Amino acid sequence: MKIKLLSIIAAMLLFCGAQTVEAQVMKAADLENYAKERYGDKWLDAAANLASTLTLDKNESLTYQQIIEAPGKSKQQLYVALNYWVTATFKDKQAITLNDKEAGCIIISSTIDGIADHTGTLNRYVVSITPIIRLDIKEGRVRVTYTVQNYDILKAQDAGWLGGLLDNSDNRQDNQNVYSDGKRMKEDKTDRRLYDEQWEIAKHYPFVLKDAQKRTCSKALVMTHAYSNAIIDKVEEAIKNGIVGNEDDDW
């Protein structure tokens, strides 16, 4: 009986630990709530307001950079804290493209799916992004660089609201169901109307005012911006307090 009770407690602790780590990952739904709290839910207005504060880098990418001060913490301490945060946050180990302790540099490339989903007149679009997140570590400070150049688009052609009036076939419904799960392999040609695109941020609203995908790109921009803030907030929290709040040398 005692052994069984200990097993149950151990299972509960493992479950709680998994929940704590999983909470570090911001899903698209959580990101949307985060963005709405800060910028409101009128995406066109929010994107227009952000446009006056944003500039593209020399590669026409949307890049954010911030230095986080950590007085009294060594380069090694900061590296350990951030390496712990990165490995706990990004489950796909391939997302960590560089982890160099000596250079004090960690680079992550991880996709966040479905940050925007818009049904237009003719087509429907689901937008994902794959930011490059670079952490440069020195004695007492960390520099965070967050860069996104493109929106990754999953497009269902003729799946817009007008398409519903013109096409009531089972094929259209199947098309929507397949594309909306966000798991279709690249270059999958099983449905000729279903294909992937990349939209360069610099060539879309609000950086280009006349844009046929204005509504889609408005939300995509706000969500991309919000995710940069969330990442920087989480890095700062990991530096100052760790993941669970008790990673110190007094134990």
Side-chain angles (χ1 to χ4, degrees):
M1 183 67 180
K2 185 177 180 180
I3 294 174
K4 185 176 181 181
L5 180 60
L6 288 172
S7 299
I8 292 171
I9 292 172
M12 290 176 67
L13 288 171
L14 285 171
F15 175 76
C16 291
Q19 290 293 92
T20 300
V21 171
E22 185 63 22
Q24 300 299 312
V25 180
M26 181 167 279
K27 305 297 185 183
D30 298 324
L31 178 60
E32 182 163 343
N33 291 331
Y34 182 92
K36 285 179 178 178
E37 288 174 3
R38 285 154 182 76
Y39 313 110
D41 58 1
K42 295 182 179 178
W43 305 112
L44 282 170
D45 293 343
N49 292 335
L50 283 175
S52 62
T53 67
L54 300 178
T55 55
L56 299 171
D57 66 19
K58 65 179 182 179
N59 298 313
E60 295 194 321
S61 299
L62 193 59
T63 295
Y64 304 82
Q65 193 170 81
Q66 183 169 320
I67 295 174
I68 301 171
E69 300 291 342
K73 294 195 175 183
S74 68
K75 179 179 176 180
Q76 180 173 340
Q77 286 175 316
L78 291 172
Y79 172 80
V80 170
L82 288 174
N83 187 58
Y84 183 21
W85 174 75
V86 166
T87 54
T89 299
F90 300 96
K91 302 299 185 184
D92 180 4
K93 300 310 176 186
Q94 293 182 350
I96 304 171
T97 59
L98 177 68
N99 194 339
D100 190 326
K101 182 178 180 180
E102 294 302 317
C105 183
I106 303 173
I107 299 177
I108 308 110
S109 176
S110 181
T111 298
I112 178 165
D113 294 318
I115 62 166
D117 185 340
H118 177 66
T119 301
T121 305
L122 296 175
N123 306 314
R124 186 180 174 195
Y125 307 95
V126 170
V127 185
S128 300
I129 55 172
T130 304
I132 306 298
I133 303 161
R134 175 170 175 153
L135 308 176
D136 291 298
I137 305 162
K138 290 186 175 182
E139 296 289 326
R141 58 181 175 161
V142 174
R143 183 177 64 187
V144 185
T145 306
Y146 168 102
T147 301
V148 183
Q149 187 170 41
N150 303 305
Y151 299 130
D152 298 321
I153 307 299
L154 195 59
K155 175 179 175 181
Q157 192 168 334
D158 299 332
W161 61 265
L162 185 57
L165 298 175
L166 300 177
D167 181 4
N168 293 316
S169 67
D170 291 338
N171 184 52
R172 176 179 177 275
Q173 183 62 44
D174 290 342
N175 176 42
Q176 287 186 306
N177 290 338
V178 170
Y179 115 103
S180 62
D181 67 10
K183 296 178 181 177
R184 189 173 59 85
M185 297 295 290
K186 295 290 185 183
E187 306 303 324
D188 185 347
K189 302 299 182 182
T190 55
D191 188 323
R192 64 178 179 80
R193 300 180 302 172
L194 193 61
Y195 53 93
D196 294 295
E197 299 177 353
Q198 280 195 321
W199 296 351
E200 293 181 45
I201 292 177
K203 295 181 180 179
H204 287 274
Y205 187 83
F207 302 104
V208 174
L209 295 180
K210 292 184 178 180
D211 182 9
Q213 284 81 35
K214 185 174 182 178
R215 292 187 177 277
T216 306
C217 291
S218 291
K219 183 175 181 181
L221 178 78
V222 176
M223 295 281 277
T224 299
H225 179 76
Y227 192 51
S228 75
N229 291 340
I231 287 293
I232 291 171
D233 287 349
K234 286 177 179 289
V235 170
E236 187 169 13
E237 177 67 17
I239 289 170
K240 294 181 177 179
N241 302 311
I243 292 181
V244 297
N246 62 357
E247 299 97 329
D248 55 40
D249 293 328
D250 186 17
W251 55 278

